[in-house]
Amino acid sequence: MELFFVEESNKNLEVGTSIVFSESESNHLKNVFRKEIGHKVSATNGQGLHLKVVIEEYNKKQIKGTVVEKEEHTLPNYSSHIAIAPTKNISRFEWFLEKSVEIGGISEITPIITKHSERKIIKIERCEKIIQSALKQSHQFILPKFNPVISFDEFVKKNQKGYIAHCYQEEKSPLFSAITKGEKNIVLIGPEGDFSKDEVALAIENNYTPVNLGNQRLRTETAGVVACHMISLKNSHFAL
Amino acid sequence: MELFFVEESNKNLEVGTSIVFSESESNHLKNVFRKEIGHKVSATNGQGLHLKVVIEEYNKKQIKGTVVEKEEHTLPNYSSHIAIAPTKNISRFEWFLEKSVEIGGISEITPIITKHSERKIIKIERCEKIIQSALKQSHQFILPKFNPVISFDEFVKKNQKGYIAHCYQEEKSPLFSAITKGEKNIVLIGPEGDFSKDEVALAIENNYTPVNLGNQRLRTETAGVVACHMISLKNSHFAL
């Protein structure tokens, strides 16, 4: 079943509330999914609400409806925050966004600029759109937060304690065994050329544990997805 | 360090053996990586060998060299065979090939044609090339086998016992807890429209266990990568 997005906070969304879909969501409702007056559709605000909305007004640009059912999904008891260097080839970074959201359990993404970063600029709006689409496509209700770009140094000083995945031949713990259930996890993922030795040292000073993500040499975007999947798996009820 | 491919079987590769790189690998050696006579490069045949080769002859199309070191990587004690319906959008399927090889631990891939498959044709050579590139890029030495396209029915009759990941609301085991270390695992991944109910029944008749891959609704290519990562993780020395 398709899921549509509404831009309202939880306190403004009750059964009986009138809502207006954005122009782009209205376009989707009308022209892609051929929804008509009287149809009931699923919607979320990305803050945990799963709504059923009946379409009531149908104009050229914006569709209006009324909330007729409301279910609230609670936040998981753990969080995973991936701070990752955007890749030179932006489609690889965008793929990371799509897949990490689809796999689920990711709560926050921060693009970081490191010493070896070849890409220093990203289009925030485009990234947010990809994250929202992946959420809808995978039928989830809690939208991960996408933070503004920040330098590596500033990030680790502001967000102390976490894990840093680097490729140097030094003692590292496997991430999957390092994490415990119900934790707040921050994982730093480096650029194509890895973190610099100084960056690794700065992270360790700020209470980051060096980790590996398996035996393979992973690309940046794959490392991000693998880290995210490990955290999600560790926190699933069936993980041993 | 870059890794190059040689098309020779293990029995023909000893220290002192002369080898010839294919035209495309020679082109890479010469024009992309600027290797010259006397340079020592890493190579593999995809059958577990990690070779060091000294370049000795340098002509227009094919580079010749001599094996000077040989290290043999043994096959893991488990295997993972992913039988997956190629996606309508081929780039999604190609992404699955790249990422599953990169993550590691995949031993065999079979494209299957199911009732709801929208794509019935794939370019085998292109797929093999992607698998080989991903192997080299991630510095691994055992090339997964890429089988010819086969119908779902024929596949499950020929390859009895495994797991089938479907989306119907029926009792399913989580794949990560269903698998045990050191096993031979076959996982069936369906197309965009899922397996048909008849296909699920046929798989069960042939000793397949229905599984889920988490709580999320995953796209075909993501399901393939997630299944592959679960098997690899379960078999890693650090998995609990």
Side-chain angles (χ1 to χ4, degrees):
Chain A
M1 195 184 194
E2 312 81 36
L3 188 64
F4 299 92
F5 216 81
V6 290
E7 283 160 6
E8 287 287 353
S9 65
N10 283 9
K11 66 179 193 327
N12 296 331
L13 288 165
E14 295 297 334
V15 171
T17 307
S18 286
I19 55 160
V20 180
F21 287 99
S22 71
E23 282 188 26
S24 83
E25 284 303 82
S26 297
N27 180 44
H28 256 83
L29 280 156
K30 188 180 169 191
N31 299 321
V32 181
F33 293 102
R34 308 278 171 197
K35 298 296 178 188
E36 291 173 17
I37 288 172
H39 280 176
K40 192 157 82 173
V41 300
S42 276
T44 185
N45 63 347
Q47 295 170 34
L49 293 190
H50 181 190
L51 309 167
K52 294 285 163 92
V53 176
V54 171
I55 296 176
E56 286 173 346
E57 234 186 283
Y58 202 108
N59 69 24
K60 268 183 215 158
K61 292 203 166 165
Q62 290 200 297
I63 286 175
K64 286 182 188 174
T66 295
V67 177
V68 293
E69 288 173 42
K70 183 181 115 172
E71 190 191 343
E72 199 157 347
H73 293 252
T74 49
L75 282 168
N77 69 339
Y78 70 98
S79 69
S80 78
H81 180 172
I82 308 284
I84 181 170
T87 50
K88 188 177 169 194
N89 173 346
I90 195 67
S91 69
R92 293 190 172 271
F93 182 70
E94 292 178 352
W95 170 86
F96 155 74
L97 297 176
E98 178 185 314
K99 294 309 173 196
S100 62
V101 174
E102 196 183 332
I103 287 171
I106 192 162
S107 26
E108 214 168 328
I109 298 166
T110 304
I112 47 172
I113 305 300
T114 66
K115 194 179 169 200
H116 300 151
S117 286
E118 292 197 55
R119 169 176 295 277
K120 297 189 168 61
I121 295 168
I122 53 166
K123 291 177 184 159
I124 292 185
E125 270 184 30
R126 188 174 153 88
C127 293
E128 285 174 337
K129 216 171 155 185
I130 289 166
I131 291 171
Q132 206 186 87
S133 296
L135 190 86
K136 293 193 294 181
Q137 204 277 332
S138 58
H139 217 74
Q140 297 182 74
F141 306 98
I142 299 164
L143 191 72
K145 197 175 163 207
F146 188 74
N147 295 317
V149 177
I150 187 173
S151 76
F152 176 87
D153 291 17
E154 205 181 333
F155 183 89
V156 296
K157 285 172 189 165
K158 267 190 180 171
N159 301 275
Q160 301 212 344
K161 195 173 189 293
Y163 304 98
I164 179 167
H166 68 73
C167 302
Y168 296 105
Q169 297 286 353
E170 283 168 22
E171 208 178 305
K172 289 178 278 188
S173 312
L175 179 65
F176 192 66
S177 53
I179 48 184
T180 52
K181 278 192 174 195
E183 243 189 1
K184 202 176 153 184
N185 303 286
I186 301 176
V187 185
L188 306 172
I189 306 287
E192 281 88 342
D194 205 353
F195 292 114
S196 72
K197 289 222 164 186
D198 285 351
E199 285 170 335
V200 174
L202 184 70
I204 292 169
E205 263 172 44
N206 285 281
N207 216 3
Y208 280 77
T209 306
V211 289
N212 70 55
L213 304 170
N215 300 323
Q216 266 41 267
R217 186 169 75 168
L218 301 177
R219 284 178 183 272
T220 296
E221 73 279 10
T222 320
V225 168
V226 159
C228 181
H229 186 226
M230 283 180 180
I231 296 169
S232 159
L233 200 56
K234 191 82 176 212
N235 282 284
S236 63
H237 66 282
F238 55 82
L240 300 179
Chain B
M1 195 185 197
E2 312 84 33
L3 188 63
F4 299 91
F5 216 80
V6 289
E7 284 160 4
E8 287 286 352
S9 64
N10 283 8
K11 66 178 192 327
N12 296 332
L13 287 165
E14 295 297 335
V15 170
T17 308
S18 287
I19 56 160
V20 180
F21 287 100
S22 71
E23 282 188 25
S24 84
E25 285 302 83
S26 297
N27 181 43
H28 258 81
L29 279 156
K30 187 180 169 191
N31 299 321
V32 182
F33 292 103
R34 308 278 170 196
K35 299 296 179 189
E36 291 172 19
I37 288 174
H39 280 178
K40 191 156 82 173
V41 300
S42 276
T44 185
N45 63 346
Q47 295 171 34
L49 293 190
H50 182 189
L51 308 168
K52 294 285 164 90
V53 177
V54 171
I55 296 177
E56 286 175 345
E57 232 186 287
Y58 202 110
N59 69 23
K60 267 182 212 158
K61 291 199 167 168
Q62 289 200 297
I63 285 175
K64 287 182 188 173
T66 296
V67 177
V68 294
E69 287 172 44
K70 183 181 114 170
E71 190 190 343
E72 199 156 350
H73 293 253
T74 48
L75 282 168
N77 69 339
Y78 70 98
S79 70
S80 79
H81 181 173
I82 308 284
I84 181 169
T87 52
K88 189 178 165 190
N89 173 347
I90 195 67
S91 70
R92 293 191 172 272
F93 182 70
E94 292 178 351
W95 170 85
F96 155 74
L97 296 177
E98 179 184 314
K99 294 310 176 196
S100 62
V101 174
E102 196 182 330
I103 286 170
I106 192 162
S107 26
E108 212 167 329
I109 298 166
T110 304
I112 47 171
I113 306 300
T114 66
K115 194 178 169 200
H116 300 151
S117 287
E118 292 198 56
R119 168 175 296 277
K120 295 187 169 62
I121 295 168
I122 53 165
K123 290 179 186 156
I124 291 185
E125 271 184 29
R126 188 174 153 87
C127 293
E128 286 175 336
K129 214 171 155 183
I130 289 165
I131 292 171
Q132 205 186 89
S133 294
L135 189 87
K136 292 194 295 182
Q137 204 277 331
S138 58
H139 217 75
Q140 297 180 73
F141 306 98
I142 299 164
L143 191 73
K145 196 175 164 207
F146 188 74
N147 296 317
V149 178
I150 186 172
S151 77
F152 175 88
D153 292 17
E154 205 182 331
F155 183 88
V156 297
K157 285 173 189 166
K158 266 192 181 170
N159 301 275
Q160 301 212 345
K161 195 170 188 291
Y163 303 99
I164 179 166
H166 67 73
C167 302
Y168 296 106
Q169 296 286 349
E170 282 168 23
E171 208 178 303
K172 288 178 279 188
S173 312
L175 179 65
F176 192 66
S177 52
I179 47 183
T180 52
K181 279 193 176 195
E183 245 188 0
K184 202 176 152 182
N185 303 286
I186 301 177
V187 186
L188 305 172
I189 306 287
E192 282 87 343
D194 205 354
F195 292 112
S196 72
K197 289 221 164 188
D198 286 350
E199 285 169 338
V200 173
L202 184 70
I204 292 169
E205 264 173 44
N206 286 279
N207 216 2
Y208 279 78
T209 307
V211 290
N212 69 56
L213 303 171
N215 299 323
Q216 267 40 267
R217 186 169 75 168
L218 302 177
R219 284 178 183 271
T220 296
E221 74 278 9
T222 320
V225 168
V226 160
C228 180
H229 187 225
M230 283 179 180
I231 295 169
S232 158
L233 201 54
K234 192 82 177 214
N235 282 284
S236 63
H237 67 280
F238 55 84
L240 298 179

